[in-house]
Amino acid sequence: MDYLYYPQPVSDLIAAFSRLPGVGPKTAGRLAFYLLRHPDQAGELTQAVTKALQDIKQCTVCGNYTDIDPCKICSGERRDRTLLCVVEQPRDVIALEKTGEYKGLYHVLHGVLSPMEGIGPEQLNLSPLFHRLEGVQEVVLAVNPTVEGEATSLYISKLLKPIEIKVTKIAHGLPVGGDLEYADEVTIARALEGRRQL
Amino acid sequence: MDYLYYPQPVSDLIAAFSRLPGVGPKTAGRLAFYLLRHPDQAGELTQAVTKALQDIKQCTVCGNYTDIDPCKICSGERRDRTLLCVVEQPRDVIALEKTGEYKGLYHVLHGVLSPMEGIGPEQLNLSPLFHRLEGVQEVVLAVNPTVEGEATSLYISKLLKPIEIKVTKIAHGLPVGGDLEYADEVTIARALEGRRQL
């Protein structure tokens, strides 16, 4: 209804932007008209999208997005190959890399178990994980602490149990700079649960 | 620096999104990874951008974006051809059309006078305005009430003076549902200035 007065190609463009996550109709309109005013940038954008979709594949080893296979991390010579960190999404790899603290390898699941959405173990990049455990001494589960994430962690840890590899999970608790008063109950409960002796 | 760990095509895509107005690096990252996960939608988006840039031109009469020339409004049979409304951007046309109150024609300037940015009368769709005044009885200036907008309104009204066409400006004042307490001084001053007897 909102697009009643736009020429068809403009309303199609607004609709295409609207379907992106976090982009409402107002933002979509702003972006569409911006590109119409700046054809150079529109060209750059379509080229960047096309090129990324063409060149970026999933690494056949870890499942991370990469333009070379295996990816730079999997083929990195300075990587600690005894450590394997399991994450949900390629962006989680970046988040961990930015800390500069982790030097091991990664395994990207591309999702979590979610029976509601019909996502079972077969829909995830899960079985390749079990074919790359040679030499690995510790699997670090860094899946997000959502209900589905926790279930996924549990599922993986159970599968890994017979293989006798150390399985750890990243700590959940109060974020640094966080405030007890404003933290939710579950986070505080997790922080208590994970308390350590000083 | 933020994109240090992304493969080049991904960081190029994030950079292309970041250059859009109102899109920060976080949002750009989110959009880029969303498109990598949803290649169908990425294809739709690039197609929509390409098609819009290919098909959408400025109407040779009013300057509005259109896929047919002259545009639907300029060639509309039910339009009041004695009324001509001057606006800054194509999106302002839509805003006015949505009210359903205005039945006249439009003229889109594609900007306002801005000496700071080197935008003079020649950079705007201004001179065609003076070649389409035959039969027009009233020019309504609906340029945004910014400093540049006001200067542009003044400039146009001065040029129109010798032609003896009625020139009006849309009212500025408190928005409907607005609150005196939270309105800025200039808006309140304008509202006072434009007061009417009941």
Side-chain angles (χ1 to χ4, degrees):
Chain A
M1 280 301 290
D2 242 4
Y3 313 138
L4 200 66
Y5 311 96
Y6 295 110
Q8 197 57 43
V10 177
S11 50
D12 288 347
L13 180 55
I14 293 173
F17 271 121
S18 297
R19 279 193 289 272
L20 299 180
V23 178
K26 281 262 171 191
T27 308
R30 185 161 42 81
L31 293 174
F33 280 96
Y34 180 82
L35 291 184
L36 285 170
R37 272 203 312 281
H38 300 87
D40 294 2
Q41 255 179 279
E44 270 173 42
L45 181 68
T46 55
Q47 260 192 318
V49 173
T50 310
K51 189 149 174 50
L53 273 140
Q54 213 169 60
D55 293 1
I56 296 295
K57 304 277 171 256
Q58 290 184 14
C59 170
T60 50
V61 180
C62 70
N64 195 7
Y65 288 142
T66 179
D67 50 351
I68 46 168
D69 192 23
C71 73
K72 274 185 189 163
I73 294 174
C74 285
S75 58
E77 283 180 11
R78 294 187 174 188
R79 288 281 164 173
D80 179 354
R81 295 179 176 275
T82 64
L83 261 175
L84 187 58
C85 180
V86 177
V87 296
E88 278 181 50
Q89 300 292 349
R91 301 175 71 190
D92 301 329
V93 172
I94 308 298
L96 284 159
E97 282 297 285
K98 276 183 185 165
T99 66
E101 294 290 321
Y102 182 77
K103 299 291 177 207
L105 301 174
Y106 294 94
H107 193 83
V108 182
L109 296 176
H110 289 282
V112 279
L113 295 175
S114 174
M116 296 282 284
E117 294 174 36
I119 298 171
E122 307 75 36
Q123 275 74 45
L124 301 178
N125 180 33
L126 196 52
S127 64
L129 172 64
F130 299 97
H131 299 116
R132 55 180 295 214
L133 292 177
E134 215 183 281
V136 172
Q137 285 167 18
E138 182 179 348
V139 172
V140 184
L141 299 173
V143 177
N144 288 323
T146 55
V147 177
E148 289 87 359
E150 293 290 315
T152 310
S153 290
L154 195 69
Y155 182 84
I156 296 173
S157 66
K158 278 193 174 170
L159 286 176
L160 289 172
K161 207 149 210 181
I163 319 177
E164 285 184 5
I165 285 178
K166 187 174 163 192
V167 180
T168 56
K169 199 166 81 170
I170 56 165
H172 299 309
L174 237 54
V176 177
D179 197 318
L180 257 184
E181 195 180 343
Y182 298 111
D184 63 289
E185 296 80 1
V186 184
T187 300
I188 297 178
R190 291 292 180 79
L192 273 172
E193 212 178 282
R195 70 189 182 276
R196 295 206 226 164
Q197 199 174 358
L198 296 177
Chain B
M1 279 301 290
D2 243 4
Y3 312 138
L4 199 66
Y5 311 95
Y6 295 110
Q8 197 58 40
V10 177
S11 51
D12 288 347
L13 181 55
I14 293 174
F17 271 121
S18 298
R19 279 192 291 271
L20 299 180
V23 178
K26 280 260 172 190
T27 308
R30 187 161 41 81
L31 293 175
F33 279 97
Y34 180 82
L35 291 184
L36 285 170
R37 269 203 314 281
H38 300 87
D40 295 0
Q41 255 179 279
E44 270 173 42
L45 181 68
T46 55
Q47 260 191 318
V49 173
T50 310
K51 187 145 177 53
L53 275 140
Q54 212 169 60
D55 293 359
I56 296 296
K57 305 276 171 256
Q58 290 184 13
C59 170
T60 50
V61 180
C62 71
N64 195 6
Y65 287 141
T66 180
D67 49 353
I68 47 167
D69 193 24
C71 73
K72 275 185 188 163
I73 294 174
C74 285
S75 58
E77 282 179 12
R78 295 185 172 187
R79 288 280 162 174
D80 179 354
R81 294 180 178 276
T82 65
L83 261 175
L84 188 59
C85 181
V86 178
V87 296
E88 280 182 47
Q89 298 293 349
R91 299 175 72 190
D92 301 329
V93 172
I94 308 297
L96 284 158
E97 283 296 287
K98 276 184 186 165
T99 67
E101 295 288 322
Y102 182 77
K103 299 293 177 201
L105 301 173
Y106 294 94
H107 193 83
V108 182
L109 296 176
H110 288 282
V112 278
L113 297 174
S114 175
M116 295 282 282
E117 293 173 37
I119 298 172
E122 307 75 35
Q123 275 73 44
L124 301 178
N125 180 33
L126 196 53
S127 63
L129 173 63
F130 299 97
H131 298 116
R132 54 180 297 213
L133 293 176
E134 217 183 278
V136 173
Q137 285 167 21
E138 181 179 348
V139 172
V140 184
L141 299 174
V143 177
N144 288 322
T146 55
V147 177
E148 290 87 359
E150 293 289 317
T152 310
S153 290
L154 195 70
Y155 181 84
I156 297 173
S157 66
K158 279 193 174 170
L159 286 176
L160 288 172
K161 206 151 209 178
I163 318 177
E164 287 187 0
I165 284 178
K166 188 175 163 191
V167 180
T168 57
K169 201 167 83 171
I170 56 164
H172 299 309
L174 237 56
V176 177
D179 197 319
L180 258 182
E181 194 179 343
Y182 298 112
D184 62 291
E185 296 80 359
V186 185
T187 300
I188 297 177
R190 290 292 179 81
L192 272 172
E193 211 179 281
R195 69 190 181 279
R196 292 205 228 164
Q197 201 175 353
L198 296 178

